[in-house]
Amino acid sequence: MASGEFDISHIRLGERPLIVCDVDDVVLQFIGPFQLFLQSRGHAFLPRSFRLHGNIVSQADGVEIEDQEVSRLIEEFFEAQELWQTPLDRVVETLDRLSEEADILFLTAMQPRFQDQRRRLLDRMGLLFPLLATEQPKGPIVHALHASRSLPVVFIDDMARNLHSVREHVADCLLIHLMPNSPVHRFAPAAADDITRATDWTHAAELIEAHLVSATFTRAVPAA
């Protein structure tokens, strides 16, 4: 099975609900560790907008770093992510519990060449669920994964554009906007009103479990 040029044929789903989950700032801390990484390189991140480019300056003189250098720093960070990133509170135990009743898949917006580093990092934390790394839009990929299945599907992300992409391509998907309370996320674009905001993983789990129960009940009750 594939979405455009992105191959997902190796993903095998059971006859269970599907939870598709973003990784950076949803499962793994990103902004905090990235700021520490920048400090170790003599730079600082100034949260002036919901962007990395244009907001990184030299600690020595406050001069803004050029976009090409910012891109290089982001790549260097992902290359060394295993040394910097840590899981969000309660994510490991929450996903472990949810995996008892649903298939879980990580869909991370990252260049595929850094997938091996991320795989090792997630495995070390006990997050052994399948991983897809791509910079392609997420909606078509979730659609290809879910296809014509009548089972419940959930999508979790911190980016409104990804949630909107999935909403456009996957009907009846529970969309959860989950993001950290960080200075930069205060500038994040708002998700549409019909997308549910979760405050943390405990709240997200409650929303998911309620959705799974409701969807299961709906499927079990024949139409009048």
Side-chain angles (χ1 to χ4, degrees):
M1 185 186 298
S3 176
E5 297 180 355
F6 186 63
D7 182 22
I8 60 172
S9 60
H10 59 290
I11 300 297
R12 295 289 181 265
L13 302 176
E15 289 299 313
R16 307 200 301 163
L18 172 64
I19 300 171
V20 180
C21 186
D22 182 34
V23 177
D24 286 308
D25 274 336
V26 174
V27 172
L28 299 177
Q29 304 275 0
F30 173 78
I31 286 295
F34 186 61
Q35 287 177 299
L36 294 174
F37 167 80
L38 289 174
Q39 291 172 17
S40 75
R41 301 301 190 271
H43 304 305
F45 177 70
L46 302 181
R48 300 176 293 198
S49 66
F50 193 57
R51 298 180 69 248
L52 298 180
H53 293 81
N55 288 328
I56 297 175
V57 301
S58 168
Q59 287 182 322
D61 54 19
V63 174
E64 185 177 303
I65 305 300
E66 294 184 359
D67 284 355
Q68 184 176 358
E69 176 65 7
V70 172
S71 296
R72 188 192 66 78
L73 286 166
I74 294 170
E75 293 181 359
E76 188 178 341
F77 175 78
F78 280 135
E79 185 71 41
Q81 61 186 278
E82 296 166 83
L83 302 176
W84 296 95
Q85 292 188 267
T86 56
L88 270 75
D89 290 343
R90 304 196 64 79
V91 65
V92 175
E93 56 265 46
T94 300
L95 289 179
D96 183 62
R97 187 176 78 249
L98 290 171
S99 69
E100 296 176 2
E101 50 188 320
D103 286 336
I104 295 174
L105 183 141
F106 294 133
L107 179 56
T108 185
M110 184 179 66
Q111 293 182 36
R113 64 193 179 98
F114 300 118
Q115 179 161 325
D116 288 347
Q117 292 93 324
R118 176 137 296 174
R119 180 73 273 168
R120 289 192 299 266
L121 178 55
L122 292 169
D123 287 352
R124 195 174 74 218
M125 296 170 180
L127 295 165
L128 307 178
F129 312 110
L131 170 68
L132 296 173
T134 178
E135 294 182 307
Q136 293 189 22
K138 294 188 176 183
I141 295 173
V142 178
H143 173 76
L145 285 164
H146 191 57
S148 59
R149 291 157 37 103
S150 61
L151 294 157
V153 58
V154 178
F155 178 72
I156 310 166
D157 207 290
D158 68 320
M159 299 279 196
R161 69 170 181 269
N162 294 328
L163 293 156
H164 295 163
S165 176
V166 172
R167 183 180 61 171
E168 292 172 6
H169 290 86
V170 184
D172 301 321
C173 179
L174 173 62
L175 302 166
I176 298 179
H177 193 194
L178 177 62
M179 63 180 184
N181 181 21
S182 75
V184 67
H185 279 86
R186 295 172 190 168
F187 293 98
D193 291 341
D194 59 343
I195 294 175
T196 304
R197 172 73 189 275
T199 55
D200 54 24
W201 268 103
T202 298
H203 185 201
E206 293 171 356
L207 295 169
I208 294 168
E209 288 165 343
H211 176 70
L212 297 185
V213 169
S214 175
T216 300
F217 177 78
T218 301
R219 292 176 64 227
V221 176

